[in-house]
Amino acid sequence: MTSESYIFLAGASRGVGREIANCLTAQQLKVKALLRTETAAAELQAIGVKTVLGDAMNVGDVEAAMLTNEPIHTVISTIGGLPTDTEKPDYLANKNLIDAAIKAKVQKFILVTSIGTGNSVGALSPQALAALQSVLVEKDKAEQYLIASGLTYTIIRPGGLKTEPATGNGVLTEDTRIVGSIHRTDVAQLVCRCLNSDRTNNKILSAVDKNMLFGQIEFTQFTLD
């Protein structure tokens, strides 16, 4: 990354996205975030993030935020909806971001989805799958669109998310059978480490806390360097 280029963050108003913003600014990286509310924008400005008001579901908003004379090195998206949402952003919003990222000639696109998406569907219990099915279908469409886009990508699929301080035990694996919990702060730290890891280029990785696995499956941890 050059000192002039930005990391563009979508989904930073809460959850994993907010933790990623904290992680990136702590490293004194230049971050630009697309946000829907003035309140979220003010909170992120306070930690040094450049903010743009807009909705990722709107192509015009995304292009206005990304296609500027400020180069964007990497796009990170944690955008996702709830099973109760009538219009889910998981595919549509991420499609807009991917299309704009191609036009902006970004170097890398990091997409955060969830375990249960795509070929990790078998990791979930039937109950969890039934509850999340409508969202997972949209997340899978987003993953497939990104893979087909020609962009260099990293897809991170976290397990069940908890809002607690980082444990430092978050790990990545290519093993699609793995399922467990992980703290949002640990997911954010893993995502930030993927930024400069060429080993993660064009990889799909599950993220779990190695001490919070569901079931004791032996698996190979993915090393970032």
Side-chain angles (χ1 to χ4, degrees):
M1 273 185 65
T2 68
S3 59
E4 295 305 307
S5 57
Y6 279 84
I7 296 162
F8 189 90
L9 190 52
S13 61
R14 59 186 172 83
V16 172
R18 176 61 67 89
E19 296 297 341
I20 291 170
N22 291 337
C23 181
L24 295 173
T25 53
Q27 296 177 38
Q28 298 186 317
L29 294 167
K30 292 173 75 170
V31 183
K32 184 194 278 192
L34 180 66
L35 299 154
R36 286 184 294 179
T37 69
E38 294 275 7
T39 305
E43 290 169 357
L44 283 157
Q45 286 164 14
I47 61 166
V49 175
K50 179 169 183 156
T51 61
V52 183
L53 283 177
D55 188 342
M57 296 285 274
N58 183 303
V59 175
D61 287 358
V62 173
E63 292 195 343
M66 288 177 63
L67 304 180
T68 67
N69 58 3
E70 297 163 330
I72 295 168
H73 182 277
T74 301
V75 174
I76 302 174
S77 175
T78 64
I79 287 180
L82 301 168
T84 50
D85 291 345
T86 49
E87 191 175 29
K88 295 178 178 59
D90 304 75
Y91 171 62
L92 292 173
N94 283 311
K95 178 183 183 297
N96 290 341
L97 290 162
I98 292 162
D99 288 343
I102 294 167
K103 291 180 181 177
K105 296 183 168 56
V106 305
Q107 301 298 303
K108 191 167 186 172
F109 195 113
I110 301 175
L111 177 63
V112 179
T113 60
S114 74
I115 288 178
T117 307
N119 63 355
S120 66
V121 65
L124 296 188
S125 68
Q127 295 90 335
L129 188 58
L132 298 172
Q133 182 76 45
S134 61
V135 167
L136 294 174
V137 168
E138 298 302 306
K139 289 186 187 298
D140 182 51
K141 283 160 64 176
E143 288 189 359
Q144 294 305 317
Y145 194 79
L146 177 57
I147 291 164
S149 71
L151 291 167
T152 298
Y153 65 85
T154 303
I155 294 168
I156 306 288
R157 296 170 172 168
L161 295 166
K162 295 175 177 284
T163 304
E164 292 171 48
T167 66
N169 296 317
V171 295
L172 297 170
T173 181
E174 292 184 89
D175 194 324
T176 56
R177 302 170 301 159
I178 290 299
V179 67
S181 297
I182 186 167
H183 294 181
R184 288 178 171 86
T185 41
D186 287 301
V187 177
Q189 289 179 10
L190 290 170
V191 168
C192 292
R193 288 178 63 202
C194 288
L195 267 177
N196 297 312
S197 171
D198 288 343
R199 290 207 72 232
T200 65
N201 289 352
N202 304 325
K203 293 287 188 183
I204 303 176
L205 302 163
S206 293
V208 289
D209 188 303
K210 62 187 178 185
N211 296 332
M212 293 192 282
L213 298 175
F214 303 159
Q216 296 303 311
I217 298 173
E218 289 292 319
F219 70 98
T220 303
Q221 189 175 325
F222 185 88
T223 53
L224 289 161
D225 33 53

